[in-house]
Amino acid sequence: MPASLDLCDIRKSFGSTEIIKGVSLTIAPGEFIVFVGPSGCGKSTLLRMIAGLEDITSGQLRFDDVVVNDWDPARRRIGMVFQSYALYPHMSVEQNIGFGLKLAKKSKAEIMVRVDQALSVLQLTPLRHHKPSQLSGGQRQRVAIGRAIVRNPNVFLFDEPLSNLDAALRGQMRMEIGKLHQHLKNTVIYVTHDQVEAMTLADRIVVFEGGVIRQVGTPVELYDHPANRFVAGFIGTPTMGFLSGRVAATAQGEGVALDAAGGQAITLPGDLRRVAHGAALTLGLRPEHCVVCPPDQTMLSGTVVMLERLGAETFAFIDLPATPAPVAVRLDGGERSLVAGQRTGLRFDIERAHIFDADGNSISSSAS
Amino acid sequence: MNARRSRRFQPLLFGAPAMVGLALFVVLPFLMALVLTFTDQQLISPEPGVFVGLRNYERLLSIRALVQAPERNDVAGTPSFARVRSLTRHEPAYLGYRPLGELRFGEHRVTLLAKDPAFLTALGNTFLFALMVVPLQCTMALGLALLVNAGVKGQTIFRAIYFSPVVMSMVIVSVVWAFLFDKDLGLLNQALGTLSFGLVKPVDWLGNPATAMPAIVIMSAWQGAGFQMLILLAGLQGISQELYDAARIDGASMWQRFWYITLPGMRQTIIFVLIVTTIAALGLFTQVDVMTGGGPRGSTATVMFEAVRHGVREENIAYGATISVVYFLLITAFILLHQILLRRSAKVIS
Ligand SMILES: Nc1ncnc2c1ncn2[C@@H]1O[C@H](COP(=O)(O)OP(=O)(O)OP(=O)(O)O)[C@@H](O)[C@H]1O
Ligand SMILES: [Mg+2]
């Protein structure tokens, strides 16, 4: 039975340093939730608290409306897959998978049936007598997943399960995990650093920074309507380009004077009455909303620092004056002739630009 | 050509310092001892020893069994036997043999006779000591390692405390423990007496053949456990914490985690510790020399003690060397057997 989860102002301190600073989140039964965030922001710690491996300093954790703060891990009926797989090295594949059932004193026959089933779901049957050391990375990963599913857990917890695999295998395992979820319909919490995993697997993504949630939403919501500059910069590859500027009046109404354009202002759509004149603003530009053009046709011009040719598409990274990080532009067929070091102009679609105030919060009309 | 030749010699070159050390201090003395065993060389004697063939080995290893049927059964049915001495006294075949021990086979009495019963007793004592001290010391060491590793505050302090007996001189430790074991003044008897309100009468720990060896076992385990603890601790810390987490999620209790994760994970370390401890135990000498002098009634004499007694104190270096050589061969055979069995069991498991 997939469980619903309720996190209520969960906090965690190691000694006097607070790592998780009040996290509240409700997860529906059967939902696939992905945790993302920079290294050290407390994703693993939160996951371990949900698993029961780490005490909860304060706050309430509820499974199906029952407070489980003090339950030990086995009683919570969770399955967990660790980054390093954590397979028992001296046990065979089937012993690894059946270990939990054996400890739960299930009958030999029942263990057989359930282990066989898990083995066949994960296509591990021919490897059942192998030791973990005799398996490839992907096979080990599948055994770790088998160990988690065999107990019919209410909640599945994955902590960066694919980060030790090579790119091709990662893609394949990602699809298998997706299919497994469609098949089993468990509640899943999945920690990853991989954008693609997050975007493709998640029903909802939770973005963490420094022990707090910065935004929760579907992958498309986060991509199209990031609530703040942190989320905007975190979701999407290549990352969103940022142009700093100040609120200024233009002929057509409110606008922003861009530092990168030497203070020239451009009119902004929508309502900017909340922001005072002269206040700092940041424009966020997705690579697909920018185009390159000859330098004399635009107010923004800079140098191409790097080209990233990925086959299907090519990105140019353009260094603009007074802008810390280069701005990425997706090139359409026409500008293939661009080379690194070349001077070029940059135009963007102001209607689709994201606008952030001095505190980094989104004030675009598009961020609902 | 030149490069290839130098590559062939390189390993030898790197190994040379250790090889020279080994040859000089282990192989050479052993070979010299081997030569001595065929002579009657005295320790401090101006004359060189004379070649005596296998006489030393014969003296060391001769054993005979004397089987006696009961002489007459009296009314109560208790069998009685003629005195061994009366049978062997005038028999040239038993010349130089002294009784070692006796066994019963049904009605029959078998008396074992040996030319050097003290050596065989010492051999038995030594293995008995190893049999008692190895399990005790290794269990203690494992317990200490688990305690220190449990994550209590001041891990380093506890580690240092448990390790401190190892760095003390064995002679000093032996003297101190001889005081602790003293019948009238010893702390052990006083504590036992006080705690039992005088019920436990003072025990003469080192003066009683039944308690002397166990007493030495206990103090040896106490002295040595810290060293094994350190090795086991390293093995313990080599086990990934995630394995314990996974086992907790699988529902393993603390005891089950120890049984299914810790023990298998430490298999190699534990085997190493067992071997090292056994070898050390088979060399038991200092404690015996300081605390009991091999007594009472030979109950704590060990092979090393016998070798030193004959070779140095009685100045019969040839016979002392013979004891050492035989003992060396025995231990080598024992370790080889152990390795073969271990390799076979490892194959069965994997
Ligand atoms: N047992 C612990 N004692 C003290 N501090 C800890 C402990 N475990 C984690 N921390 C701290 O908590 C913070 C969050 O760690 P955590 O492992 O949850 O990060 P993370 O988000 O999973 O990072 P990553 O993406 O690199 O895995 C880190 O700063 C870490 O140093
Ligand atoms: Mg982590």
Side-chain angles (χ1 to χ4, degrees):
Chain A
M1 263 298 286
S4 71
L5 261 72
D6 237 323
L7 282 69
C8 246
D9 196 29
I10 300 268
R11 285 166 193 277
K12 174 76 189 177
S13 306
F14 287 112
S16 60
T17 44
E18 195 168 46
I19 302 294
I20 306 289
K21 299 165 184 164
V23 167
S24 297
L25 181 69
T26 303
I27 300 173
E31 208 174 4
F32 200 120
I33 294 287
V34 172
F35 286 180
V36 295
S39 201
C41 67
K43 306 179 296 290
S44 299
T45 306
L46 187 59
L47 204 68
R48 290 169 57 81
M49 283 156 83
I50 295 171
L53 296 171
E54 209 80 70
D55 292 336
I56 296 171
T57 306
S58 81
Q60 257 190 3
L61 175 65
R62 289 193 291 265
F63 282 21
D64 288 329
D65 297 326
V66 184
V67 178
V68 298
N69 281 35
D70 299 324
W71 290 17
D72 54 70
R75 192 174 166 200
R76 298 186 190 193
R77 297 187 48 87
I78 43 134
M80 187 156 176
V81 177
F82 296 87
Q83 181 174 2
S84 66
Y85 318 132
L87 300 180
Y88 310 121
H90 52 282
M91 296 187 199
S92 69
V93 167
E94 61 179 4
Q95 285 168 335
N96 258 288
I97 293 178
F99 185 59
L101 299 176
K102 181 175 149 192
L103 292 183
K105 302 219 161 50
K106 302 283 183 213
S107 73
K108 278 241 165 62
E110 186 186 346
I111 296 178
M112 263 289 251
V113 171
R114 285 170 67 175
V115 169
D116 278 345
Q117 198 184 354
L119 285 171
S120 77
V121 168
L122 295 163
Q123 295 155 25
L124 285 169
T125 312
L127 302 172
R128 61 190 309 157
H129 298 302
H130 287 225
K131 288 275 170 62
S133 58
Q134 298 167 311
L135 302 177
S136 72
Q139 289 164 344
R140 284 179 209 184
Q141 189 57 65
R142 288 214 293 271
V143 177
I145 294 173
R147 192 170 61 184
I149 63 174
V150 76
R151 299 168 60 238
N152 286 331
N154 294 330
V155 184
F156 252 135
L157 306 175
F158 289 90
D159 194 353
E160 302 188 33
L162 307 185
S163 55
N164 286 348
L165 304 180
D166 67 57
L169 200 52
R170 206 181 302 163
Q172 186 192 336
M173 288 301 298
R174 188 175 70 222
M175 259 165 59
E176 285 182 29
I177 289 177
K179 274 197 291 198
L180 203 65
H181 176 242
Q182 279 167 16
H183 171 67
L184 299 171
K185 300 190 172 57
N186 294 62
T187 309
V188 176
I189 303 179
Y190 190 105
V191 174
T192 184
H193 274 133
D194 187 312
Q195 293 263 336
V196 187
E197 274 169 40
M199 300 298 276
T200 52
L201 289 173
D203 291 324
R204 280 192 300 158
I205 297 179
V206 183
V207 184
F208 287 90
E209 187 194 12
V212 295
I213 294 181
R214 298 308 305 266
Q215 193 176 1
V216 183
T218 65
V220 175
E221 268 169 23
L222 293 194
Y223 191 82
D224 288 345
H225 309 293
N228 48 60
R229 209 186 131 162
F230 176 77
V231 174
F234 198 79
I235 303 283
T237 12
T239 41
M240 187 182 270
F242 292 106
L243 301 179
S244 57
R246 301 196 164 273
V247 178
T250 64
Q252 287 83 17
E254 295 292 344
V256 56
L258 291 174
D259 299 343
Q264 290 184 63
I266 108 170
T267 313
L268 290 174
D271 186 10
L272 282 174
R273 262 172 304 178
R274 277 183 296 153
V275 203
H277 266 251
L281 276 189
T282 306
L283 291 190
L285 311 173
R286 292 278 180 211
E288 61 271 30
H289 301 146
C290 301
V291 289
V292 292
C293 60
D296 49 5
Q297 291 179 13
T298 173
M299 58 198 231
L300 289 175
S301 65
T303 347
V304 179
V305 285
M306 190 178 67
L307 288 166
E308 212 175 74
R309 298 185 199 282
L310 301 176
E313 47 194 13
T314 301
F315 295 96
F317 292 82
I318 298 169
D319 208 1
L320 296 173
T323 308
V327 175
V329 180
R330 191 173 72 188
L331 303 184
D332 302 321
E335 316 93 340
R336 285 280 160 93
S337 59
L338 219 57
V339 291
Q342 188 181 335
R343 276 201 74 74
T344 182
L346 175 78
R347 273 191 305 186
F348 58 90
D349 183 355
I350 188 67
E351 295 288 331
R352 312 192 68 165
H354 299 268
I355 305 167
F356 304 100
D357 65 17
D359 300 328
N361 292 318
S362 173
I363 49 174
S364 326
S365 49
S366 52
S368 49
Chain B
M1 178 65 212
N2 235 341
R4 195 180 314 156
R5 196 186 316 160
S6 83
R7 192 159 310 149
R8 183 140 26 103
F9 284 119
Q10 245 173 26
L12 290 178
L13 216 62
F14 281 116
M19 297 278 208
V20 168
L22 270 179
L24 220 59
F25 296 108
V26 177
V27 180
L28 191 66
F30 179 75
L31 292 178
M32 283 165 66
L34 200 60
V35 171
L36 282 181
T37 62
F38 300 107
T39 69
D40 66 351
Q41 178 73 50
Q42 297 289 302
L43 185 60
I44 310 170
S45 160
E47 299 121 70
V50 177
F51 179 76
V52 295
L54 292 172
R55 204 180 72 193
N56 285 322
Y57 291 96
E58 200 234 320
R59 175 180 165 197
L60 190 66
L61 298 172
S62 294
I63 303 182
R64 309 200 97 197
L66 180 75
V67 183
Q68 288 173 285
E71 289 210 321
R72 54 169 196 281
N73 280 329
D74 61 9
V75 197
T78 46
S80 66
F81 299 91
R83 288 188 42 185
V84 172
R85 189 93 184 88
S86 68
L87 294 175
T88 57
R89 188 162 28 192
H90 304 296
E91 190 68 51
Y94 289 111
L95 191 68
Y97 282 89
R98 279 172 295 142
L100 170 66
E102 57 177 57
L103 305 162
R104 294 291 175 111
F105 279 108
E107 290 279 82
H108 295 271
R109 184 171 84 170
V110 180
T111 308
L112 293 173
L113 300 157
K115 282 196 174 169
D116 186 359
F119 167 71
L120 294 168
T121 310
L123 194 62
N125 285 342
T126 310
F127 280 102
L128 182 71
F129 173 77
L131 219 59
M132 291 196 284
V133 83
V134 171
L136 179 69
Q137 188 170 338
C138 291
T139 318
M140 261 171 71
L142 186 58
L144 291 179
L146 289 172
L147 273 181
V148 168
N149 200 38
V152 284
K153 271 207 183 120
Q155 182 183 356
T156 19
I157 294 177
F158 283 113
R159 205 169 48 196
I161 291 175
Y162 296 146
F163 190 70
S164 56
V166 180
V167 290
M168 285 183 216
S169 154
M170 189 50 123
V171 174
I172 294 170
V173 173
S174 300
V175 170
V176 170
W177 275 78
F179 284 130
L180 293 181
F181 279 132
D182 189 273
K183 180 162 184 271
D184 302 314
L185 304 167
L187 182 69
L188 191 60
N189 276 341
Q190 301 223 347
L192 281 177
T194 310
L195 288 177
S196 66
F197 301 105
L199 237 55
V200 176
K201 295 282 166 264
V203 180
D204 190 4
W205 295 103
L206 296 175
N208 183 339
T211 55
M213 190 55 104
I216 291 183
V217 166
I218 289 171
M219 76 71 58
S220 302
W222 174 86
Q223 195 269 345
F227 179 67
Q228 279 85 347
M229 173 200 75
L230 225 56
I231 300 175
L232 291 173
L233 197 58
L236 214 51
Q237 287 167 349
I239 301 176
S240 152
Q241 187 56 41
E242 282 195 343
L243 285 182
Y244 291 103
D245 290 343
R248 274 175 72 193
I249 286 172
D250 271 336
S253 64
M254 207 144 102
W255 167 244
Q256 285 168 327
R257 290 200 294 272
F258 175 72
W259 186 255
Y260 289 110
I261 309 291
T262 311
L263 276 187
M266 301 246 292
R267 186 167 176 271
Q268 294 304 328
T269 318
I270 290 176
I271 288 172
F272 173 76
V273 163
L274 284 177
I275 291 178
V276 170
T277 316
T278 307
I279 290 175
L282 293 178
L284 173 63
F285 173 76
T286 313
Q287 298 94 306
V288 170
D289 196 41
V290 175
M291 293 169 77
T292 63
R297 273 180 276 138
S299 63
T300 58
T302 62
V303 177
M304 279 300 111
F305 184 78
E306 282 294 295
V308 172
R309 183 166 72 87
H310 284 290
V312 180
R313 299 202 181 128
E314 295 174 6
E315 303 197 350
N316 187 352
I317 191 67
Y319 195 62
T322 311
I323 292 180
S324 306
V325 167
V326 168
Y327 194 44
F328 170 79
L329 294 177
L330 262 177
I331 293 181
T332 310
F334 171 78
I335 288 177
L336 281 180
L337 185 75
H338 183 257
Q339 289 288 314
I340 290 168
L341 289 180
L342 212 65
R343 208 154 293 167
R344 194 166 297 165
S345 78
K347 239 176 239 160
V348 169
I349 286 174
S350 64

